[in-house]
Amino acid sequence: MAGKVFFSVSMSLDGFVAPESVPLDDIFAPENQDDPRVRHWMAQWGELQQWIFPLRFFRENLKLGEGGDEGRDNDIARETFERTGASVMGKRMFELGERSWPEDPPFHTPVFVVTHTKRDPWERLGGTTFHFLDDGIEHALDQARQAAGDRDVRIAGGGTTILEYVNAGLVDEFSVTVAPVLFGTGTRLFDGVDASRVALEPLRADPTARVTHLTYAVRPR
Amino acid sequence: MAGKVFFSVSMSLDGFVAPESVPLDDIFAPENQDDPRVRHWMAQWGELQQWIFPLRFFRENLKLGEGGDEGRDNDIARETFERTGASVMGKRMFELGERSWPEDPPFHTPVFVVTHTKRDPWERLGGTTFHFLDDGIEHALDQARQAAGDRDVRIAGGGTTILEYVNAGLVDEFSVTVAPVLFGTGTRLFDGVDASRVALEPLRADPTARVTHLTYAVRPR
């Protein structure tokens, strides 16, 4: 049986999945760490993802050491990882990660990068291999489905890539982890969604002390 | 002890609290009921508020007859009503309601309308009296606080009025009922929020079969 196509992202209560965009070179330049735009980006990103960092699964998966919080947030993070047989991501998310993931990145599966630049596969430690595909989002998804086998394909991000898959009718279900923060500006997850075509069916809602995980099936309308 | 200032609204998953604006005269003109803009407005509004209409409390409060659904959604609707000693609303919300509320409107308390037009109080059946105030949002809130006594003041809407109160630091807590629908366009609840000043503390999350009610305290940051 083929797996599902899903995404799972953290979203601010006002609908943002990333802070206002800052050029990657600026984010990673040590001399820019006091730049207000970079500090703002880092602070917002941190607030959005804050629920993840203390989790036992997060620490284990990135080999940061023993310990960490258990409970529902941790179970959800682990389940999201375990169901994923392959991931698809956009170019900017890859480029951000390329500079920040460790040698043994957190995927441990094939990852298909939707890009316009040809590049040989990039094999990392721990089972993560990045494949670069320049033949559109459907082709990238087909490759990911094959690689995932019975498991699910995760559209890992960023927001623009996720929305392309949603609007193409290629997403079966998704989870949005609503974080208790307002961004005001940034990348909105659903900005440009084709609302006339997408209906949502609530599947689950998991409130925890930090966040609320909302899971929906996507239906045509 | 003085009551709290709160708001409670239904919000689409992509952050909208109202469909794309249509002139009120168009909405209420019988000859416009086939106008695609009006139909779209009505359809989206209906989807957003769908969780409310079947509730026992909704039917009871509007004197629509016996019966209706009980359960957590109903309890929340009733609690929201019972804590409210007075409401504040913007001009457009009033004008929309003026044409659609029954003679015995659903408030049963004083309602303070923030407007630029002087007008005598408008007393309706069942304890609802509308007062029209043209001296700014703080003055309207002061009047509402006095009228509410020990009970809470609800900033009833619309989205623009709610945001003015949030950005002025005058809201203590709020509930957002996340409905399983995407709007794509319309009035965003937090569009223009002063994110640098508003921090959120999650108080409660109540998932039900239809929606998820998220409640936050507003803190300065």
Side-chain angles (χ1 to χ4, degrees):
Chain A
M1 202 184 85
K4 289 185 171 147
V5 178
F6 80 103
F7 69 85
S8 180
V9 290
S10 301
M11 186 178 88
S12 70
L13 183 62
D14 53 348
F16 295 94
V17 289
E20 195 155 6
S21 198
V22 173
L24 291 182
D25 285 340
D26 291 356
I27 292 176
F28 288 100
E31 69 274 18
N32 282 349
Q33 296 310 300
D34 290 327
D35 180 326
R37 290 170 316 138
V38 172
R39 290 171 68 103
H40 185 252
W41 193 95
M42 293 283 185
Q44 283 197 324
W45 183 257
E47 283 190 303
L48 191 62
Q49 307 293 341
Q50 199 168 32
W51 68 280
I52 295 174
F53 305 135
L55 301 181
R56 184 181 185 91
F57 170 75
F58 177 82
R59 299 183 54 78
E60 181 187 309
N61 194 37
L62 278 170
K63 300 193 169 54
L64 300 177
E66 296 291 306
D69 295 352
E70 304 197 31
R72 193 77 191 105
D73 285 332
N74 192 58
D75 292 346
I76 287 172
R78 188 182 300 276
E79 286 158 18
T80 302
F81 173 79
E82 287 177 353
R83 69 187 285 194
T84 303
S87 291
V88 174
M89 71 178 57
K91 182 169 175 278
R92 181 174 156 100
M93 178 172 174
F94 170 75
E95 289 178 343
L96 189 61
E98 187 179 15
R99 304 200 194 184
S100 39
W101 292 312
E103 272 187 279
D104 182 344
F107 303 97
H108 310 299
T109 63
V111 176
F112 296 87
V113 182
V114 181
T115 178
H116 297 291
T117 317
K118 283 193 194 294
R119 175 170 164 180
D120 289 336
W122 188 41
E123 195 176 336
R124 307 295 281 153
L125 296 181
T128 302
T129 300
F130 296 94
H131 302 270
F132 303 89
L133 299 174
D134 64 351
D135 204 18
I137 63 168
E138 297 204 29
H139 178 249
L141 181 57
D142 287 343
Q143 299 296 108
R145 279 187 206 271
Q146 280 182 37
D150 291 348
R151 285 194 290 165
D152 296 335
V153 173
R154 178 176 184 173
I155 311 298
T160 313
T161 302
I162 287 173
L163 196 67
E164 285 180 52
Y165 279 101
V166 170
N167 280 342
L170 295 170
V171 171
D172 298 312
E173 61 177 60
F174 67 87
S175 292
V176 167
T177 296
V178 181
V181 57
L182 296 171
F183 270 22
T185 57
T187 303
R188 284 195 171 93
L189 178 55
F190 292 110
D191 206 10
V193 70
D194 185 352
S196 66
R197 285 188 55 192
V198 180
L200 304 181
E201 179 193 333
L203 294 182
R204 285 185 304 284
D206 294 285
T208 71
R210 295 194 181 92
V211 291
T212 299
H213 308 274
L214 302 173
T215 303
Y216 301 90
V218 181
R219 307 283 185 223
R221 61 186 299 167
Chain B
M1 202 183 86
K4 289 184 172 148
V5 178
F6 80 103
F7 68 85
S8 179
V9 290
S10 301
M11 185 178 88
S12 69
L13 183 63
D14 53 348
F16 296 94
V17 290
E20 195 155 7
S21 197
V22 173
L24 291 181
D25 285 341
D26 291 356
I27 292 176
F28 289 100
E31 69 272 20
N32 281 349
Q33 297 309 300
D34 290 329
D35 180 326
R37 289 170 316 138
V38 173
R39 289 170 68 103
H40 185 252
W41 192 97
M42 292 284 186
Q44 282 196 325
W45 183 255
E47 281 191 304
L48 192 61
Q49 307 294 341
Q50 200 167 33
W51 69 278
I52 295 175
F53 306 134
L55 300 181
R56 184 181 184 91
F57 170 75
F58 177 82
R59 299 182 55 77
E60 183 187 308
N61 194 36
L62 279 170
K63 300 193 169 53
L64 300 176
E66 296 291 306
D69 295 351
E70 304 195 35
R72 193 74 190 110
D73 285 332
N74 192 58
D75 292 345
I76 287 173
R78 188 182 300 277
E79 288 158 15
T80 302
F81 173 79
E82 287 177 351
R83 69 186 285 194
T84 303
S87 290
V88 174
M89 70 178 59
K91 183 169 176 273
R92 182 175 156 101
M93 179 172 174
F94 171 74
E95 288 178 343
L96 188 62
E98 187 179 17
R99 304 199 193 184
S100 40
W101 292 313
E103 272 187 279
D104 183 343
F107 302 97
H108 310 299
T109 63
V111 177
F112 297 87
V113 182
V114 181
T115 176
H116 297 290
T117 319
K118 284 194 192 293
R119 176 171 163 179
D120 288 336
W122 189 41
E123 195 176 337
R124 307 295 281 152
L125 297 179
T128 302
T129 299
F130 295 94
H131 301 271
F132 302 89
L133 300 174
D134 64 352
D135 203 18
I137 63 168
E138 295 203 31
H139 177 248
L141 181 57
D142 287 343
Q143 299 297 106
R145 279 187 205 269
Q146 280 182 35
D150 290 349
R151 285 194 290 166
D152 296 335
V153 173
R154 179 177 183 173
I155 311 298
T160 312
T161 302
I162 288 173
L163 196 66
E164 285 180 53
Y165 279 100
V166 170
N167 281 342
L170 295 169
V171 171
D172 298 312
E173 60 176 61
F174 66 87
S175 292
V176 167
T177 296
V178 181
V181 56
L182 296 171
F183 270 21
T185 58
T187 302
R188 283 196 172 94
L189 177 56
F190 292 111
D191 206 9
V193 70
D194 186 351
S196 65
R197 284 188 53 191
V198 181
L200 304 180
E201 179 193 335
L203 294 183
R204 285 185 304 285
D206 294 286
T208 71
R210 295 193 181 92
V211 291
T212 299
H213 307 275
L214 302 174
T215 303
Y216 301 89
V218 181
R219 306 283 185 225
R221 63 186 297 167

